[in-house]
Structure formats: C-alpha cells, structure tokens
Amino acid sequence: MARWPGGIAAGLVLALTLGTLAAVIWRAGFALRLGPADLSAIWFTTWQAALSACVSVVLAMPVARALARRRFFGRGALVTLLGAPFILPVVVAVIGLIGVFGRGGLLNDALGLAGLGPVSVYGWHGVVLAHVFFNLPLAVRLILQGWIAIPAERFRLAASLGAPVGRLLEGPMLRAVVPGAFAVIFLICLTSFAVALTLGGGPRATTVELAIYQSLRFDFDLGRAAVLAMVQFGLCAAAALMVRTAGAPEALGAGLDRVVERFEPGGQLRDAVAIALATLFLMGPLAMIVARGAPGLFDLPDGVWAAALRSISVALGATVLTLALALALVLRGGGLAQLSMLLPLAASSLVMGTGLFVVLYPLVSPRDVALVVTGWVNAAMALPFAARVLAPAVAQAEAAHGRLATSLGLAGWARLRWLLLPRLRRPLGFAAGLTAALSMGDLGVIALFAGDGEATLPLLMVRLMSAYRMEQAAGVALVLLGLSLALFWIFDRGGRVDAAA
C-alpha cells in the first residue's frame, strides 16, 4: 500500500492536536502561570480519576467473575448491553443519573420513606458516580476477557487435584489484567468535561478540561488555557505510559477452546447478587431516561428538530473523516502513525477548537464555521477508538492473504478494494457506528462558540437544564438517545450484512 495517504493523515492529526495548541500559545503569548484555582483543578482531576478508576475496577471484579462462572438465559445479551453506557451521550446519562440519585430521584424518595435526609448528586461524589456508571461496564469487559483467556483444562485440572483456583489461576490473572484496566479508565477520566460541567457543582469539583472551558468561555484567557492544555498533555502522557507498561496477561498455556466449566461448590447466590446489582445500577438510569423523557416528547421546545438535523450532519461528517484518517494511518503503520493515533487521547478538544478558530478568524466568523470545526474535532477525538477497531482486522487480513495478493500483483487501490475492504466491513461498520454515536453526544467545542442558530441537541439540553426546564430537557434527551442508538445500529448492522469476512 502507498504510504502517502497515511502521511497526509498523520500531518492532519498533528496539526489538529499539537498545531492548534501552538496556535493558541502563539496568539496568547506563552507565560507559565498557574493560580491556586488551576492547581486545585489539577489536583481534583488527578484524584477523582484515580478514585473513579479504583471504584470501577473493584466493583467490576465480582461482576466479571460471576459472568465467567455462570451460564444463564440472556447472558450474551447482558454482556452486549454492557457496552451501552460507552456510546450513551454524557448529557443524556446525566438526566438518568439525576432521575435515580438526584434530589427528586428514586434514591431520595426511598430515603425519605425511611426517615433519612436527602443526598445530593452534585459535587465530587456526583462526578465519581457518573464516571463509575460509564466505566464500570468497560472494566467488566476488560477483566472478563482475562477470565475467558484461562483455558478450561486448567479449571478441570485444579478441580481434580482439589487445588485452590483463586490462588493458582485467578490471582495471577487479576494481577496482570487489573493494572491495565485501571490505567485505561484513569486515562479516560482525566479528560472529563461534560460530567464536571453538569454535576461538578462548583470550584472544588472542577477538572482541567472544565477549567480550560471556563478560561476560554468566560475570560478568554488563551494563555491560561494553553498552560492547562499542556498540563493535561503531561497527565495523559503519564497515564498512557501506565497503559503501555501495565502487565500483560500471563501465558497460561494452550487449551482446546472448550467452554470454561467451573467446579467450585456454592457461590450461586453471591454471583446472582453481583450480576443483579450491576444490572440495576446500569439499567436504572436508562429506564429513568425513558420514563422521564416520554412525557417531554409532547412538549419539545422550538428548534429541537433543527438541532437534531445539525447533530446528525456533524456526526455523519465526523464519521467519514474518522474512517478516512483511521484507515490511512492503520495501512501506513510505523511510529508516526502510532503517535498520531494516540495524540487525540491527550489533547483538549476545547483547545483544538479554539486553535482552529484562531487560525480561521481572519478569514471567517467563528459562528459561521462552528459546526464544521466541531465535526473536525469530533473526528479527531474518535480516531483512537476507530483505529483500535481497524488495526487488528487489517493485520489479520494481511497475515492470511497478503502473500497471495502480492504474488498476484495486487497493490494500491486494487489491494484495498479486493483484499482489505471485503474483510473490513464488520470493523468499519462498528467503527462508524461508534464514531457517529460519540459525535452525536459530544458537548465540547460547540459549547464555546455556537449561537442559537448553531446549537446541537446536547447543547440544547444543557441550556434547557440551566433554565430548569427539566421535563423538556428529558424529552430532548430521549430524542438524542434514540438518534444515537439508531445511528450506531444502522452502521453496525450495515457492516455485518453480507460481510465477506
């Protein structure tokens, strides 16, 4: 394959991440200054990410163990459903969490019946709660893969010898898998914005990304935003190093790919409780979104369908850009491509958008290109996930058929068309659905520069919540949820229909 498309893609990603940061620094004039509020935001960002990752991993271990030990009707559907919170728009999830844990939510209603005082979902505990809601399913999936990787023959041998399974098999696996899961979730929580914006509740619960938003939106202090963005780059780089250095699962020997059978007596009740509580915690907010949003569908605000059309347009544009960039980088390979695929994880979407506006400002008004800039930034932020989906499929196709294709003289576009694309339909469909869903729920750059005529559905929701029009916000949340899931399903299903591999 020609390497120049990958070189162009890498150049675009570097310009969107490091180039926009350089533009902001150039416009502001770099001065390394951090006030007490900035140091407080850095400290809060670090410890809330560590606490969120720790709670997610600790709660995920018994759930993953129960799913690995038990076979029951609907297990496959439940494991699949664990991926729903990841593609759920953050602002939609906040509506559900408020419905369960908010002042007028189910939890406080139950506490009131018991004669206890109410609890508040706002503040640092609300931020941690939301992060656990989003990342508990991810931790379960990561740790469950560790259990599945243990060959069934090891459990049979342990049962025949009466050996302790936990100490000999599960303990070493957890010591290898858990650090990696913790590091991945820690990295995700470091760049939290929408959660802190809606549930933070004040200066004591401000993340670095939210501090960047405040410095740009209210003070237009580009220098402070640039310094905070560099700090975020450093924090995320350290977290990424943790991900790479975390122990890989130990080789437990080859098996015959049999279904894992467990022979430990008892534990059924404990496993059932773990699965039931996790399901209730994850599905409760989703049910509240539907319950509270359904009445709001009859009182939707003016402009909701125009905002929906703008959200869909931005999502489709970001999807096309992400797939093009991811495919070009994956086919190119090499260190530059790897760096380009990881950089968006450490970048601030707000700084990216501001840098683009700084570059474009002499030519066009920021509001006129707000949606276009949002689409480019969303494409960059979804790139690491799409590339992670496509890379193994490309490697597998080349390993299986690459030599034959080379012997037949297939190169360039012909190789892409006849060898790779037929075998990439499934991952391309999944990556497209994931990107579209993430872009539909994004609340980042659009919150900085959009006027009333450029608002997307997430921004419209936040404005309704700020005006305490909660029933209308819940109706818009249900519309956003339905459109996000529909886009994901259409792309994912389209990739699986008549797929050649």
Side-chain angles (χ1 to χ4, degrees), residues 348-367:
S348 166
S349 62
L350 302 176
V351 171
M352 273 195 273
T354 304
L356 288 174
F357 284 127
V358 166
V359 174
L360 296 174
Y361 182 73
L363 306 174
V364 65
S365 170
R367 288 190 176 183

Side-chain angles (χ1 to χ4, degrees), residues 432-456:
L434 183 63
T435 301
L438 292 175
S439 182
M440 280 291 297
D442 177 71
L443 181 66
V445 178
I446 199 69
L448 282 177
F449 300 101
D452 294 335
E454 297 84 26
T456 57

Side-chain angles (χ1 to χ4, degrees), residues 79-430:
V79 173
T80 302
L81 202 59
L82 289 176
F86 188 75
I87 65 172
L88 189 68
V90 174
V91 288
V92 173
V94 167
I95 290 287
L97 290 170
I98 292 174
V100 176
F101 302 99
R103 180 169 294 276
L106 298 178
L107 177 61
N108 279 323
D109 289 344
L111 292 176
L113 293 176
L116 301 176
V119 296
S120 174
V121 75
Y122 299 100
W124 67 266
H125 44 284
V127 174
V128 173
L129 174 68
H131 285 161
V132 173
F133 172 78
F134 285 111
N135 295 303
L136 174 61
L138 175 61
V140 170
R141 293 294 294 269
L142 292 174
I143 297 174
L144 181 59
Q145 292 303 313
W147 254 291
I148 294 175
I150 302 176
E153 290 74 18
R154 294 294 182 270
F155 290 106
R156 291 175 178 270
L157 179 61
S160 65
L161 297 176
V165 171
R167 182 168 61 86
L168 295 180
L169 295 179
E170 296 177 334
M173 181 275 297
L174 289 174
R175 285 194 295 271
V177 171
V178 166
F182 175 89
V184 168
I185 296 173
F186 179 75
L187 176 59
I188 293 173
C189 295
L190 277 178
T191 55
S192 174
F193 168 65
V195 169
L197 178 65
T198 52
L199 296 178
R204 294 185 178 180
T206 298
T207 61
V208 172
E209 189 78 354
L210 182 55
I212 293 173
Y213 169 77
Q214 293 168 347
S215 64
L216 292 172
R217 176 70 174 176
F218 302 111
D219 304 325
F220 203 67
D221 188 347
L222 296 180
R224 177 173 176 247
V227 172
L228 289 171
M230 295 182 64
V231 170
Q232 182 166 289
F233 256 108
L235 291 174
C236 291
L241 184 62
M242 289 170 54
V243 174
R244 292 186 63 88
T245 57
E250 297 179 3
L252 294 172
L256 299 177
D257 295 330
R258 294 171 176 165
V259 176
V260 175
E261 297 182 48
R262 307 295 297 262
F263 298 92
E264 302 99 319
Q268 290 89 346
L269 179 61
R270 181 176 63 249
D271 292 343
V273 170
I275 294 173
L277 289 178
T279 304
L280 182 63
F281 174 66
L282 296 175
M283 297 301 108
L286 295 179
M288 289 302 299
I289 293 170
V290 176
R292 292 200 166 189
L297 292 177
F298 300 97
D299 187 29
L300 291 174
D302 296 334
V304 64
W305 299 115
L309 182 60
R310 285 189 287 269
S311 293
I312 294 174
S313 301
V314 170
L316 294 179
T319 300
V320 173
L321 290 172
T322 298
L323 293 184
L325 292 173
L327 193 57
L329 290 173
V330 168
L331 293 177
R332 185 186 193 279
L336 180 61
Q338 292 291 330
L339 175 63
S340 301
M341 289 185 284
L342 290 176
L343 270 178
L345 289 175
S348 166
S349 62
L350 302 176
V351 171
M352 273 195 273
T354 304
L356 288 174
F357 284 127
V358 166
V359 174
L360 296 174
Y361 182 73
L363 306 174
V364 65
S365 170
R367 288 190 176 183
D368 293 340
V369 293
L371 296 177
V372 176
V373 170
T374 300
W376 274 97
V377 174
N378 287 352
M381 299 307 292
L383 176 62
F385 304 104
R388 184 65 185 86
V389 171
L390 295 178
V394 170
Q396 184 178 5
E398 285 289 348
H401 307 286
R403 291 185 179 180
L404 176 61
T406 301
S407 67
L408 294 175
L410 288 179
W413 168 248
R415 191 184 189 94
L416 179 65
R417 179 184 177 184
W418 297 108
L419 171 63
L420 295 177
L421 287 182
R423 291 161 180 83
L424 291 179
R425 283 190 56 180
R426 289 177 184 269
L428 277 173
F430 178 75

Side-chain angles (χ1 to χ4, degrees), residues 34-35 51 72 94 125 175-176 205 211 213 457 463-464 494:
L34 291 173
L51 180 59
F72 53 89
V94 167
H125 44 284
R175 285 194 295 271
Y213 169 77
L457 281 177
R463 289 176 177 176
L464 291 171

